[in-house]
Amino acid sequence: MMKQQIISAVLECKEKLGHVPTNTDLNKKMAISRKMVRQHFSNYGQLLAECGLSGLGSGYKAAMDEVFLDWAMLARTLKRLPTIAEYEIGSKFSVRPLVTRFGTWSQAPYGLKLFAEEKGWAEEWKDVLTMVEAKAEQDAARGALMSAPGPENVRRARKLARKQGPENLRISRGDREVYGGLVRPFPLVCAPVNEMGVVFLFGALAEKLGFAVLRIRPEYPDCDALMQVAEDRLERVKIEFEYESRNFLKHMHEANDCDIIVCWKHNWPECPLQVVELRGEIGKLGRHLPQIYSDER
């Protein structure tokens, strides 16, 4: 069956049923199997998109725009960030799209905040994003208190809660280029300052880190590789490269489709995935690698 025939069948099925058909509906009513769909479309969601349709419920991949607006409207109505129970009751979506994208429910507000900022919605949803920032400050303060309770740590926790996000890279002299610190002896002389630097450095050190790269690709996840899990055993893994591990949230990646984050800086303590932080690894490897660059003149 040709691609256009499948699209026509979906539209015909919709007319018969009076609603957007599920994959099962399409199979029963139009005799179009999942295999036929996969031959022409990456998934059922893409098929619906090409038909100009969208769906809700099991089998549909919710658009991030819709998920954010639904979640933000609920937060605005409640005047607080919704709990899982409140979201399940008040939202037209299940929690699955958010948990799938961000790994855990607790990480969803921060990820949604980054999404809104990238879409240019920060001003429109300022009240909701302020709730997210307040929760992050509360969580940081609570963590400090739990780790070392006492009067002195109450003061430290309050100070921590007032701190802003990560510091921005400062360029001290006009528009001159800025480089990372020296990390010799490695093929990348200066430390990465972006994701491409992470990709290069990982490629240079992959074998020493216990990986054999199968392929690098432009779409998510970035890399397929074999990872050594025992002396004579390898396991296939999917890797995503990020400059900072927390950027995984910013890029709206689905945690279920990836096994490992390779980054220069690991700043996501709650990350549900395995993380390889290269700046920590080169400290270990540097003691065992030959001196490539000589300081002798």
Side-chain angles (χ1 to χ4, degrees):
M1 181 172 284
M2 302 300 291
K3 183 175 181 178
Q4 190 56 48
Q5 290 177 304
I6 296 176
I7 292 175
S8 298
V10 171
L11 297 174
E12 182 182 342
C13 189
K14 177 180 178 294
E15 290 300 316
K16 288 181 179 180
L17 297 173
H19 61 79
V20 177
T22 65
N23 218 329
T24 302
D25 291 334
L26 196 62
N27 190 5
K28 288 182 178 179
K29 301 293 183 181
M30 311 302 292
I32 295 178
S33 66
R34 296 173 187 269
K35 183 177 180 181
M36 293 178 186
V37 172
R38 287 197 299 270
Q39 286 177 342
H40 300 285
F41 307 91
S42 60
N43 53 47
Y44 195 66
Q46 185 195 348
L47 168 57
L48 291 181
E50 296 208 20
C51 294
L53 304 173
S54 62
L56 299 175
S58 177
Y60 298 102
K61 185 174 181 178
M64 196 60 198
D65 292 40
E66 296 178 60
V67 173
F68 171 81
L69 293 173
D70 183 74
W71 173 86
M73 186 61 71
L74 180 58
R76 180 173 282 175
T77 301
L78 295 172
K79 293 183 169 54
R80 65 175 182 276
L81 301 184
T83 64
I84 288 183
E86 289 170 335
Y87 187 77
E88 287 280 16
I89 294 171
S91 172
K92 65 182 179 181
F93 299 104
S94 73
V95 300
R96 184 174 179 180
L98 292 176
V99 173
T100 298
R101 283 175 171 84
F102 304 122
T104 64
W105 177 256
S106 63
Q107 290 297 307
Y110 182 79
L112 289 166
K113 176 178 178 292
L114 293 175
F115 176 78
E117 290 170 347
E118 285 202 339
K119 296 287 287 187
W121 296 347
E123 190 61 33
E124 180 182 354
W125 295 98
K126 185 176 180 180
D127 57 328
V128 175
L129 302 192
T130 298
M131 296 179 200
V132 178
E133 292 169 358
K135 184 179 184 301
E137 293 173 352
Q138 291 170 1
D139 291 345
R142 187 182 300 112
L145 287 168
M146 290 178 65
S147 63
E152 176 62 19
N153 289 300
V154 171
R155 183 187 65 78
R156 289 170 54 201
R158 287 174 178 166
K159 181 179 179 181
L160 181 62
R162 291 194 298 268
K163 287 181 68 175
Q164 300 301 313
E167 294 181 356
N168 294 322
L169 178 66
R170 294 183 179 180
I171 302 178
S172 58
R173 292 192 177 186
D175 59 354
R176 292 188 184 179
E177 292 187 47
V178 173
Y179 298 86
L182 294 178
V183 292
R184 298 182 303 170
F186 296 98
L188 185 65
V189 177
C190 297
V193 293
N194 52 46
E195 185 177 316
M196 293 308 297
V198 172
V199 175
F200 178 88
L201 188 57
F202 175 76
L205 302 178
E207 188 174 350
K208 295 181 176 65
L209 293 173
F211 293 92
V213 176
L214 297 175
R215 63 172 175 170
I216 302 289
R217 55 190 175 189
E219 66 271 14
Y220 171 78
D222 296 322
C223 173
D224 287 339
L226 297 176
M227 179 179 70
Q228 186 170 8
V229 294
E231 185 176 351
D232 58 350
R233 291 291 184 274
L234 298 172
E235 181 178 292
R236 186 166 181 166
V237 293
K238 296 178 180 179
I239 298 172
E240 178 66 11
F241 299 114
E242 300 286 0
Y243 175 67
E244 295 181 338
S245 58
R246 203 174 185 88
N247 288 348
F248 190 91
L249 287 173
K250 184 176 182 179
H251 296 154
M252 304 297 158
H253 295 315
E254 296 189 9
N256 288 351
D257 294 335
C258 185
D259 302 303
I260 299 172
I261 297 174
V262 172
C263 61
W264 176 248
K265 180 182 179 182
H266 183 23
N267 59 351
W268 186 14
E270 306 87 356
C271 180
L273 303 174
Q274 179 180 341
V275 176
V276 176
E277 185 188 46
L278 293 181
R279 69 173 181 174
E281 294 298 332
I282 64 171
K284 303 172 190 175
L285 292 172
R287 295 191 294 270
H288 308 292
L289 294 176
Q291 182 67 38
I292 300 175
Y293 301 94
S294 173
D295 290 328
E296 295 179 5
R297 299 289 187 268

